Amino acid sequence: MENLIALLVAAPLVGAALLLCGGRRLDRAGHWIGSLFAVASFAVAVVLFADMLGKSAEHRALHQHLFSWIPVGGFRADLAFQLDQLSMTFVLLITGVGSLIHIYSIGYMEHDERRRRFFGYLNLFLAAMLLLVLADNYLLLYVGWEGVGLASYLLIGFWQHKPSAATAAKKAFLVNRVGDMGLSIAIMLMFTTFGTFAFGPVLASTGATGEGRLTAIGLLLLLAACGKSAQVPLQSWLGDAMEGPTPVSALIHAATMVTAGVYLITRSGAIFNAAPDAQTAVVAVGAVTLLFGAIVGCAKDDIKKALAGSTMSQIGYMVLAAGLGPIGYAFAIMHLVTHGFFKAGLFLGAGSVMHGMNDEVDMRRYGGLRTHMPITFVTFGLGYLAIIGFPGLSGFFSKDKIIEAAFARGGTEGWVLGGAALLGAAITAFYMTRVMLMTFFGERRWDPEEVHPHESPKVMTIPMIVLAVGSVFAGGLFSINEAFVTWLEPVTSFAHGHSPVSAGAVTAATMVVLLIGVGIAWRMYGRKEVPAVAPRGSLLTRAARRDLLQDDFNHVVLVRGGEHLTRTLVYLDHSLVDGAVNGTAASMGGLSGRLRQLQTGFVRSYAVQMLGGAAVLVAATLLMRGV
Amino acid sequence: MADLSFPLLTATAAVPAVGAIATAAVPAAKRTAAKWLALLCSLATLGLALVIAFRFRPGAKEPFQLTESHAWIRDFGVRYDLGVDGIAVALIALTALLIPFVILAGWHDADPLEGATPNHRWRPTQGFFALILAVEAMVVISFEATDVFLFYIFFEAMLIPMYFLIGGFGDRAGPHGEEQAATQRSYAAVKFLLYNLVGGLIMLAAVIGLYAVTAHQLGAGTFSLQQIVEARASGQLTLGTGTERLLFLGFFFAFAVKAPLWPLHTWLPNAMGEATSPVAVLITAVVDKVGTFAMLRFCLQLFPAASSWATPVILVLALISIVYGALLAVGQRDIKRLIAYASISHFGFIILGIFAMTSQGQGGATLYMVNHGISTAALMLVAGFLISRRGSRLIADYGGVQKVAPVLAGTFLVGGLATLSLPGLAPFISEFLVLVGTFSRYPAIGVIATFGIVLAALYVLVLYQRTMTGPVKAEVGGMHDLKVRELVVVAPLIALLLFLGVYPKPLTDIVNPAVGHTLSVVDKKDPKPTVQVNAVPGHGRPGQAVRDQDVEAAK
Amino acid sequence: MNPVYYLYLAALLFTIGAAGVLIRRNAIVVFMCIELMLNACNLAFVTFSRMHGNLDGQIIAFFTMVVAAAEVVVGLAIIVSIFRTRHTASVDDASLMKL
């Protein structure tokens, strides 16, 4: 069975190679080839999953060693895969949602002349993402980690002729590289501490080293997670990443890649468990981001950017849960999976709306679309109910557990975290209701002469329906007998949290804040007419529209500062370093110019010099003899 | 010691040397024949280099293999001693591999200008290819020489053909017309020559000094690397601390100019900017490698104590090179100068790895030399193809190339990604090894050097964005995509980058023992991890323990 | 007679020759002054040979004569050719290292 693991990665990789090197001959069939390889990978994943279910919990982990990758001295990196319950969960999510989005893209990208290449990049992404979750050591994980970064770069910048897309792609890659730096230093630190960076030995021997090193490793891993998962302070790229085609936003920037940080923290659980300071940093980042993303999401008029803010916020929840240790890991992953369903569904819905609205993204130019796109409306609506945590739907189960676990951290910290999570839930309800109302309800604010909203073709709606079904039932299914927690327990370990507040009280409180959020949104956008041009808004609104000024900060400090630095250095290199050398050359030239004056060509002046020289020599000889 | 069998190492250097003469002798009218002859000779050299690689036994006891030894200048103890270790094999293979691509890429670079009056005595095409082969011959023999004097001669002699290649052949893409370009070119060529000559002269003094010391202490002066290393190990030869440091500095200075290390780097951007792109590849991917290679072979092995003494300063200079080169690359407006500054940054990594004195650092540095050669060749040659289409080196003159020439843009991107060390491509492995090797001994320096990876992403992606993406510029509009000859040049390089990124074992197997030998001469051991990890049942790699035993047994 | 007087004479002759080379412009005169210096040296050599009682000085004197003869041949040829092109034998006029 373990020999199948490599096939998971190989299938999309072959697809990517075929599509990217195949040339124009494959233009007509490219999308089918790409989808085929994605579905093939999913099929392998299902086979492996079925096999895994058939075994007892302790024997489920599979291992496949391909070959020794980099053997230099004591440094041994292997190309080896590890498939345990945690990886399996991710593999199913990635290949499942990935296949759906491949199929959706067949319709969405129909009129794009570079569709073949788009599918090549999507396949490349799948391969890299699967490598990330299947790697059995941190270095191989790093390969996948940067691989998804590359795929994300290529896909955000897919419409390269737009300068904004090219810039967004570059920004995403650069910000991610800052995070990657954290991961690579973490790997180096693991190597110098443990002499290896394979998951097994490292995670099993955390007890043998001091807490200081583990805290350092933990913080570096957190930096990496911040970059990839768009957490504060490295969150600025995600909003711009919406320049990419919508299926990309759904797959990479909502369902899978951005959750890699959560995977990393959960996978490295043993390190964080032994480093409480690092854990505190993780929960702090999670709590701050969940509020940050939610606030940004409230102010955006671009439907995709509002959803991007929401993604940031939801991943904040996951990071928060992952930072809570064994009481939170399983819920972090559970929320990750349910989020994968409903957020992908929401993005595909947004894509469907854009598809019908001539690629308009401004929600102020939508309105009253529910009658024009019924399927989109229903699927989007189910996703909406799931994300705000409507009782019985997926988000309800997963988010509720996280809020509960946050309270269970105990002490003041527990109250602060729990409070932040509750507040986040209220804001989530507010901004999602806002999106819903502005898009599907109210008066139409578009010109029927110019746009003709219509439902998308079946190839797009079917994936949306499947995802909507997932958003409705996944959470409930996972919670029967704590099935999901039991499934993950051998990998992530699990402990029941002891909350100072009873579970019922948390649920009740969540319901109350949910209603408040929905109510406020309905008062602001449901009862009143939405102006087609955004009002100026309060100071907070304006700041939130500009991503709470982080971009402005980056621009002034990093971009401007960097430009000045490089310009100064270029000048100095020319004037100082090169100048010193050229100065030496010039002074040599000057000196020889002077000396040249002696060579007049007059024979008699040479004769004088010779005579003088001879006299000096004779004198020197006599003097030397005298001494 | 003399090996009576076929002198493989001599032959590998002799084939391109003879080829150079033969190419130069081809009559003026038969330019195409000269090109094919040069290509054939370079391919024959590649064949011989592969034979060396296969005949080389990585596990063997003796430090140098396939040795040849003949007396040359008896009075001064100069010998014609050749021999290769794993590092040399890797670099010879790299050189022999790159030259055919350089020749192919420069196929039309030395054609007479259209409309120029045919001159039957002036043969620039023949000269161009003959000079390239001459450089190859000298570089190969520099990698093979185990006699310091022999090495020195070819180390210096390769400046002559390089000088003519830089000064004599431009890419006709200067911003101010041919006359200005010619002035710039000759400036660059003279600068290249002077820098390297100064370095070489200082080294000559050190070479003579070394001879004097050996003559004084051993009775008969010698230049033989192995003899000196053995004499030092057995205590027959002892250098005073001051003498050793001076000699080390003399050698190191020459290599630091060639490599080049900050602040001796300013000749490289000029030379690479003005030369045609195949010649620029020749400079940075082939000739400069002799400098870093010689640090490993001569500086460390001849003067171990002085190397350790100078390490802190050299590491700091290497660190400055990394960050400084990258920052300057960000600020460049000329594509080729940008790549040149990127190379300075990469040479910083190589030197960092060498002087970190760990097996990861030095193994990584050796891999880095090979990988940087391939990746820079890919990037620079594609850049050359791009420049030849538009006739400009300025980044601002491009935009939207991706739309009109997607294959060109794609290969350029892959070259760029290799330059920024994307995992999956070969340079990642070497860069990571260098960083790990440095970090395990000097954590702070390792961390700062890691910033280089962010800066590398910045300059590569900014270059790609400005030239390839965005709206199509009017002048770029009619640009055609890569031709077959150009694809033949680029595709194998990219394939190699991918292959060595996924399966570098053939290379590491050859390099590891040589690095181990170098480290044992310097008397350094890898730092031990703070925690001894035992194989964990159930989690560990199956067969791990068994494999380790196999390795032990094989030794 | 004390051989030292010959040395004084040689020194005097050499000084006259040197002064002539430095002061006179006519190439022929300069040339003759050089011969004077050479012969002064010859005289000194022969004197030393006599004083030390070996033949080395005399042998060198012969060498000098041979060299001087060769020099005269080449030198006069140059002077003549300069005179033919420039119609002057002044050494200051021939300062450009070419005819």
Side-chain angles (χ1 to χ4, degrees), chain A residues 71 78 160 177 193 573 578, chain B residues 191 265 324 341 402 453 531:
Chain A
D78 288 342
Q160 300 184 320
R177 266 255 152 157
T193 308
D573 193 55
D578 213 14
Chain B
K191 197 169 179 179
H265 63 275
Y324 187 87
Y341 277 107
Q402 201 275 336
I453 71 169
V531 179

Side-chain angles (χ1 to χ4, degrees), chain A residues 432-481:
Chain A
M432 282 313 298
T433 312
R434 175 175 175 267
V435 169
M436 199 66 195
L437 290 174
M438 283 174 88
T439 307
F440 292 102
F441 293 89
E443 295 294 306
R444 67 173 165 81
R445 294 181 296 278
W446 35 273
D447 184 359
E449 298 287 306
E450 285 177 18
V451 280
H452 310 282
H454 53 85
E455 188 54 271
S456 302
K458 278 216 178 64
V459 73
M460 287 167 70
T461 51
I462 288 172
M464 286 155 60
I465 293 168
V466 175
L467 286 171
V469 170
S471 331
V472 173
F473 296 111
L477 210 63
F478 292 161
S479 298
I480 301 171
N481 291 333

Side-chain angles (χ1 to χ4, degrees), chain B residues 183-495:
Chain B
T183 322
Q184 296 263 346
R185 263 207 309 277
S186 65
Y187 171 75
V190 169
K191 197 169 179 179
F192 162 82
L193 191 68
L194 283 182
Y195 260 90
N196 284 286
L197 271 184
V198 170
L201 283 179
I202 292 177
M203 182 183 166
L204 179 62
V207 169
I208 294 169
L210 185 68
Y211 175 78
V213 173
T214 54
H216 184 64
Q217 293 197 18
L218 300 177
T222 178
F223 290 104
S224 160
L225 174 67
Q226 235 181 318
Q227 213 176 328
I228 294 173
V229 169
E230 278 164 15
R232 294 204 64 173
S234 65
Q236 277 177 294
L237 180 68
T238 46
L239 295 179
T241 318
T243 320
E244 183 177 354
R245 287 177 184 177
L246 273 179
L247 292 180
F248 169 82
L249 287 180
F251 275 77
F252 184 78
F253 186 79
F255 304 148
V257 169
K258 186 79 99 191
L261 182 67
W262 187 90
L264 305 170
H265 63 275
T266 52
W267 64 269
L268 187 72
N270 283 75
M272 279 177 74
E274 300 305 327
T276 64
S277 57
V279 174
V281 169
L282 207 58
I283 298 170
T284 185
V286 177
V287 171
D288 285 354
K289 294 296 181 309
V290 182
T292 44
F293 164 80
M295 287 181 195
L296 261 177
R297 180 175 271 188
F298 295 107
C299 280
L300 294 194
Q301 302 199 18
L302 288 174
F303 317 109
S307 303
S308 305
W309 163 74
T311 295
V313 176
I314 294 173
L315 287 180
V316 169
L317 289 180
L319 200 57
I320 294 177
S321 285
I322 293 173
V323 177
Y324 187 87
L327 281 175
L328 262 93
V330 175
Q332 292 305 312
R333 276 177 278 182
D334 176 322
I335 298 177
K336 286 161 83 180
R337 287 178 69 92
L338 189 151
I339 300 174
Y341 277 107
S343 285
I344 290 170
S345 180
H346 288 140
F347 279 111
F349 274 107
I350 296 176
I351 296 170
L352 193 68
I354 293 174
F355 282 89
M357 308 272 185
T358 53
S359 52
Q360 289 84 38
Q362 293 189 348
T366 309
L367 293 191
Y368 211 125
M369 291 186 222
V370 176
N371 295 338
H372 171 257
I374 303 171
S375 68
T376 306
L379 185 64
M380 193 71 187
L381 293 177
V382 179
F385 300 149
L386 181 70
I387 289 167
S388 68
R389 282 164 169 69
R390 169 73 174 78
S392 167
R393 302 202 308 253
L394 293 182
I395 295 170
D397 285 346
Y398 295 88
V401 174
Q402 201 275 336
K403 191 95 179 162
V404 284
V407 179
L408 192 155
T411 49
F412 192 70
L413 182 62
V414 176
L417 292 174
T419 304
L420 64 76
S421 299
L422 189 86
L425 297 170
F428 163 71
I429 293 171
S430 39
E431 190 161 302
F432 198 82
L433 283 173
V434 166
L435 287 173
V436 163
T438 312
F439 184 86
S440 59
R441 213 184 276 282
Y442 310 97
I445 291 180
V447 168
I448 300 173
T450 312
F451 277 95
I453 71 169
V454 178
L455 293 174
L458 186 61
Y459 62 69
V460 168
L461 295 185
V462 167
L463 172 65
Y464 184 78
Q465 187 191 351
R466 295 205 180 137
T467 52
M468 299 297 171
T469 69
V472 182
K473 285 219 171 168
E475 299 87 344
V476 171
M479 198 176 270
H480 48 88
D481 216 332
L482 287 189
K483 286 178 279 194
V484 175
R485 171 181 62 87
E486 294 167 332
L487 260 181
V488 167
V489 171
V490 178
L493 291 176
I494 288 177

Side-chain angles (χ1 to χ4, degrees), chain B residues 62-262:
Chain B
E62 65 268 29
F64 296 112
Q65 298 183 31
L66 305 171
T67 49
E68 294 168 30
S69 184
H70 304 281
W72 183 21
I73 311 176
R74 284 177 205 278
D75 291 346
F76 297 108
V78 177
R79 298 185 65 82
Y80 178 79
D81 278 1
L82 301 182
V84 286
D85 57 1
I87 302 170
V89 169
L91 290 172
I92 291 170
L94 169 75
T95 307
L97 179 86
L98 286 182
I99 299 294
F101 294 118
V102 165
I103 289 176
L104 261 182
W107 204 247
H108 297 300
D109 280 6
D111 285 354
L113 285 174
E114 271 174 52
T117 45
N119 182 336
H120 289 289
R121 288 170 64 190
W122 176 232
R123 292 178 295 180
T125 314
Q126 281 82 339
F128 183 72
F129 293 102
L131 287 171
I132 290 176
L133 287 176
V135 171
E136 180 179 22
M138 294 183 194
V139 169
V140 166
I141 209 156
S142 309
F143 287 138
E144 293 169 346
T146 56
D147 185 283
V148 178
F149 192 82
L150 185 68
F151 169 82
Y152 174 77
I153 288 178
F154 288 101
F155 180 74
E156 285 295 278
M158 72 180 82
L159 298 181
I160 301 164
M162 282 316 300
Y163 170 79
F164 287 112
L165 280 172
I166 297 168
F169 303 92
D171 54 14
R172 299 161 189 165
H176 307 295
E178 177 57 27
E179 202 161 315
Q180 172 101 23
T183 322
Q184 296 263 346
R185 263 207 309 277
S186 65
Y187 171 75
V190 169
K191 197 169 179 179
F192 162 82
L193 191 68
L194 283 182
Y195 260 90
N196 284 286
L197 271 184
V198 170
L201 283 179
I202 292 177
M203 182 183 166
L204 179 62
V207 169
I208 294 169
L210 185 68
Y211 175 78
V213 173
T214 54
H216 184 64
Q217 293 197 18
L218 300 177
T222 178
F223 290 104
S224 160
L225 174 67
Q226 235 181 318
Q227 213 176 328
I228 294 173
V229 169
E230 278 164 15
R232 294 204 64 173
S234 65
Q236 277 177 294
L237 180 68
T238 46
L239 295 179
T241 318
T243 320
E244 183 177 354
R245 287 177 184 177
L246 273 179
L247 292 180
F248 169 82
L249 287 180
F251 275 77
F252 184 78
F253 186 79
F255 304 148
V257 169
K258 186 79 99 191
L261 182 67
W262 187 90

